[in-house]
Amino acid sequence: MIFAKQALTSTGWVENLRLTLSQGRISSLGTGETAQDGDTQVDVLLPALANLHSHSFQRAMAGMTEYRKAGKDSFWTWRDLMYRFTKQLSPEQIEAIAALVFMEMQEAGYASVGEFHYLHHQPDGTPYDDLGELSGRIAAAASDTGIGLTHLPVLYSYGGAGQVPLESGQARFGNSLDRFNSLVERARDVVGALPDDCQVGIAPHSLRATCPADLAAVLQVHSVGPVHIHIAEQPKEVADISEWLGARPVEWLLQNADVSQNWCLIHATHMTPTETQDMARSKAVAGLCPITEANLGDGPFNGPTYLEHGGRFGVGSDSNVLISLTEELRTLEYSQRLRDVARNVMVVGEGSIGETLYCGAARGGAQALHRGGGEIAVGELADLVAIDSRDTALCALQSHQLLDGLCFAARDRVVTDLWSAGRHSVKAGRHVQRDRIVANYRSAMASLMSAL
Ligand SMILES: [Zn+2]
């Protein structure tokens, strides 16, 4: 049982909520109640967000790519360093880094993660004896932390638009269609040993890393479950795809695949107004990663047009250069304000920006990771976060202002408790396994840095 002084449920703000959990789901809700002995008592209870896009290993590179070299640094020079880095990572290090990342996500208020997993093989491209070795490492990190995992093995077959062969830095990512299908089967085995809310989807990496025939084939084989794809992150990618396929990436995908609510289009950054409207109508989720998109210089998302047409969105921490839910949401809004030279952009008509961002990302993230409705209601997964409204950033605010305070004025330290499908992993602001996970990470990084 959880007792919350205030809570945001599917019907709005309520006071003195008592909530029963059963088998990872919310089985009853009662308002106007009093706390009972044995209840976990919290201040403000919210639906916890899904972090819909992560490459966990990239967390270990944070701070190593912020030095300007002669010439213009870009996404593509960042990617070169990332490739050199991935050549050194061992399975043990990958697991230790993922555990740290998942722990940090939970402490920031995320209950679940979409791990877009493309490190599959040994550094020279030879598969491990167990084809799913590294999927197993991700699953072990999820098990260790209790986060809800939607594991997304990546199909990555080409080094660039037009079926360019993989380069050596991409050897660990590569699979033929057949081997990819075997890998997904193996991933289903390892994720099948996790709690029921954990699951497997697929992720064709991008249009540039696959080809139309392979994409159609893989979608036919894996016709249920989430489908995630990087779509239009960089202007060069849009130009390359346009030249090769005769249409811009989002335009081409909407014309050539049955894009629906199973889909999540990561970095739908560079879209024309028509693409923006058509994508909004598809009911797919736009997977926005504002901190990473700012860090990599990708550009801002076309938020106003997308929301006007009912577009769905969620947020992800992608490169994990910084894992912060509050920072992710405010960076999204601030990117819009800086472009439009305006305030309060990410809402249609009138309303609270914090509520639009938070509740929109809760619903969209849950949809993208197949975790239900993303709200507090009977029958939904118990993905819950508690925050402390006595924090100085929030103490003067009324209920209807709390999400604005959370998004624009607070830091992640306001998170006191977090449940992933009922697993109570964060208590009093700390992950219950924090000390051990941090010690493992430090030792993994020491061995990694001595090898670089
Ligand atoms: Zn990504």
Side-chain angles (χ1 to χ4, degrees):
M1 306 288 293
I2 302 170
F3 177 83
K5 289 182 195 154
Q6 300 179 77
L8 181 59
T9 69
S10 58
T11 56
W13 284 99
V14 297
E15 292 188 353
N16 299 320
L17 177 76
R18 232 170 145 240
L19 182 149
T20 318
L21 309 186
S22 173
Q23 299 186 323
R25 292 186 179 272
I26 299 167
S27 55
S28 75
L29 291 173
T31 56
E33 304 218 7
T34 49
Q36 308 286 318
D37 285 349
D39 287 0
T40 299
Q41 295 194 38
V42 299
D43 187 30
V44 178
L45 194 67
L46 303 170
L49 264 61
N51 184 327
L52 57 67
H53 188 67
S54 159
H55 313 286
S56 54
F57 74 88
Q58 292 179 10
R59 175 71 178 141
M61 293 166 54
M64 295 180 191
T65 61
E66 313 299 336
Y67 181 92
R68 187 181 177 94
K69 290 193 184 143
K72 189 180 175 192
D73 269 355
S74 70
F75 171 89
W76 309 99
T77 55
W78 171 87
R79 196 181 70 160
D80 285 344
L81 189 132
M82 187 265 283
Y83 286 175
R84 290 207 299 279
F85 196 79
T86 60
K87 281 191 178 171
Q88 301 298 329
L89 286 168
S90 71
E92 293 75 17
Q93 290 160 349
I94 288 166
E95 181 177 335
I97 297 165
L100 182 94
V101 165
F102 296 165
M103 178 200 81
E104 290 190 336
M105 288 176 182
Q106 289 176 299
E107 287 186 343
Y110 293 111
S112 59
V113 60
E115 180 67 15
F116 196 103
H117 174 73
Y118 59 89
L119 266 184
H120 298 305
H121 309 307
Q122 299 182 54
D124 67 354
T126 310
Y128 289 99
D129 291 343
D130 173 359
L131 187 58
E133 167 75 33
L134 297 184
S135 286
R137 298 293 180 161
I138 300 298
S143 174
D144 207 14
T145 55
I147 203 166
L149 175 68
T150 296
H151 186 55
L152 300 160
V154 171
L155 174 65
Y156 200 122
S157 306
Y158 301 104
Q163 298 179 260
V164 172
L166 294 175
E167 51 185 87
S168 75
Q170 298 163 327
R172 297 191 83 170
F173 318 156
N175 280 304
S176 65
L177 214 49
D178 284 347
R179 196 163 76 186
F180 176 72
N181 290 334
S182 304
L183 189 125
V184 174
E185 285 310 308
R186 185 71 193 108
R188 288 191 203 285
D189 291 343
V190 294
V191 174
L194 298 178
D196 284 349
D197 59 294
C198 298
Q199 55 201 300
V200 174
I202 58 161
H205 177 273
S206 54
L207 294 180
R208 65 186 146 83
T210 181
C211 68
D214 286 2
L215 182 63
V218 83
L219 292 172
Q220 196 163 30
V221 172
H222 306 281
S223 56
V224 290
V227 182
H228 289 219
I229 186 169
H230 291 127
I231 194 68
E233 182 171 10
Q234 285 281 325
K236 180 179 184 304
E237 178 175 30
V238 175
D240 289 352
I241 295 297
S242 298
E243 191 182 343
W244 176 36
L245 298 176
R248 297 165 58 87
V250 173
E251 181 187 13
W252 187 91
L253 189 71
L254 292 173
Q255 287 171 356
N256 289 277
D258 183 18
V259 176
S260 64
Q261 48 199 354
N262 276 346
W263 284 73
C264 181
L265 276 55
I266 308 296
H267 309 303
T269 310
H270 297 284
M271 297 194 289
T272 62
T274 303
E275 284 178 298
T276 308
Q277 292 172 34
D278 290 347
M279 185 186 157
R281 290 194 195 100
S282 76
K283 298 190 168 63
V285 173
L288 307 176
C289 308
I291 293 174
T292 298
E293 288 159 8
N295 183 272
L296 295 178
D298 290 342
F301 175 68
N302 184 358
T305 306
Y306 190 69
L307 292 188
E308 271 166 33
H309 291 85
R312 302 174 184 194
F313 69 94
V315 293
S317 57
D318 193 6
S319 72
N320 296 307
V321 62
L322 173 67
I323 297 168
S324 167
L325 191 155
T326 56
E327 188 91 17
E328 208 71 75
L329 294 174
R330 61 181 157 256
T331 303
L332 173 55
E333 169 67 17
Y334 287 161
S335 68
Q336 309 292 301
R337 294 187 189 188
L338 287 165
R339 180 198 55 210
D340 295 351
V341 197
R343 296 195 72 247
N344 297 339
V345 179
M346 285 291 280
V347 71
V348 179
E350 291 184 16
S352 152
I353 299 293
E355 187 178 324
T356 305
L357 291 176
Y358 192 92
C359 296
R363 286 191 299 270
Q367 176 183 322
L369 301 193
H370 282 206
R371 292 183 74 82
E375 54 187 16
I376 297 180
V378 171
E380 292 288 351
L381 280 177
D383 286 349
L384 302 166
V385 62
I387 62 171
D388 184 1
S389 69
R390 294 167 306 172
D391 187 275
T392 49
L394 305 175
C395 65
L397 302 178
Q398 298 176 13
S399 299
H400 70 276
Q401 298 170 315
L402 279 174
L403 292 178
D404 289 327
L406 181 68
C407 289
F408 294 101
R411 303 204 182 271
D412 293 332
R413 65 163 190 255
V414 299
V415 171
T416 60
D417 295 79
L418 181 117
W419 292 260
S420 298
R423 298 180 292 278
H424 194 179
S425 296
V426 175
K427 299 178 180 177
R430 276 174 64 91
H431 195 282
V432 293
Q433 300 289 343
R434 168 170 259 284
D435 292 342
R436 184 175 52 76
I437 289 168
V438 169
N440 285 348
Y441 177 77
R442 287 187 197 285
S443 111
M445 287 307 288
S447 67
L448 177 62
M449 297 320 291
S450 65
L452 273 179

